Amino acid sequence: MALTEEMKKWNQRLEEEMKKTQDIKYLDSFPKEIQKIYIELRRVILSLYTNTQIIPKKNYISFKAKTNFLDVQPQSRLLKCVINIKSGKLRDSKKISRDISKLGHFGSGDYDFSISSLEDIQRVLDLIEQSYKINS
């Protein structure tokens, strides 16, 4: 029971900090639904990978351990995500990513995928975890 209360307080502090950060301000011009999806993605990543830095760039937001492991480019209807894994090295049994190694794109990495709903976050966590392990 005490752990649950402690976790609630931690989540509340985390949400307060998130409201203050630049990456959230970056999203001001995007639809509320995209902001909501990004905030949940951010919350999940920060809870799983506590050493993560978030670095807003001109065209995307980077999630970084030792190096960038995820770059998120908010768009009007979805979050376009690039993971920093070399072509041919990703295990994607669900076939939800796309090899973009021969295409021009923002971000670091050779694979992208889209997140257009809160449910999609759980679907892509394995891909994000693979990138995190390689880049931390």
Side-chain angles (χ1 to χ4, degrees):
M1 192 78 168
L3 182 60
T4 304
E5 282 300 312
E6 188 173 312
M7 288 178 73
K8 285 181 183 177
K9 287 179 184 176
W10 185 83
N11 277 337
Q12 190 174 29
R13 281 195 309 258
L14 182 60
E15 286 176 14
E16 289 170 8
E17 286 301 313
M18 285 172 46
K19 290 177 184 174
K20 298 176 190 173
T21 61
Q22 289 183 342
D23 62 315
I24 302 298
K25 292 177 186 168
Y26 179 91
L27 296 172
D28 282 347
S29 64
F30 292 93
K32 293 292 182 205
E33 185 61 26
I34 295 303
Q35 292 178 29
K36 184 177 169 182
I37 295 167
Y38 174 80
I39 288 170
E40 179 61 14
L41 175 65
R42 183 182 196 278
R43 186 193 67 75
V44 168
I45 289 172
L46 291 176
S47 67
L48 291 173
Y49 315 117
T50 56
N51 66 331
T52 299
Q53 297 176 34
I54 299 173
I55 305 166
K57 306 283 187 171
K58 182 178 179 180
N59 296 305
Y60 58 91
I61 302 166
S62 292
F63 288 77
K64 181 178 179 178
K66 280 186 182 175
T67 58
N68 293 3
F69 64 91
L70 174 68
D71 297 317
V72 178
Q73 183 182 16
Q75 297 181 346
S76 62
R77 294 191 174 126
L78 54 83
L79 299 175
K80 186 174 180 182
C81 301
V82 176
I83 50 175
N84 194 2
I85 297 179
K86 295 290 181 201
S87 182
K89 301 292 183 186
L90 179 67
R91 293 181 325 276
D92 181 10
S93 60
K94 298 175 190 172
K95 307 285 186 220
I96 54 178
S97 65
R98 177 176 70 135
D99 186 332
I100 56 170
S101 58
K102 297 192 180 356
L103 304 174
H105 62 279
F106 293 114
S108 304
D110 289 345
Y111 291 95
D112 78 353
F113 54 84
S114 298
I115 299 174
S116 57
S117 70
L118 291 171
E119 294 77 28
D120 286 348
I121 294 171
Q122 290 302 315
R123 181 177 59 93
V124 301
L125 279 179
D126 178 58
L127 304 178
I128 294 170
E129 182 177 359
Q130 288 179 61
S131 183
Y132 177 81
K133 285 180 178 178
I134 290 169
N135 294 289
S136 64

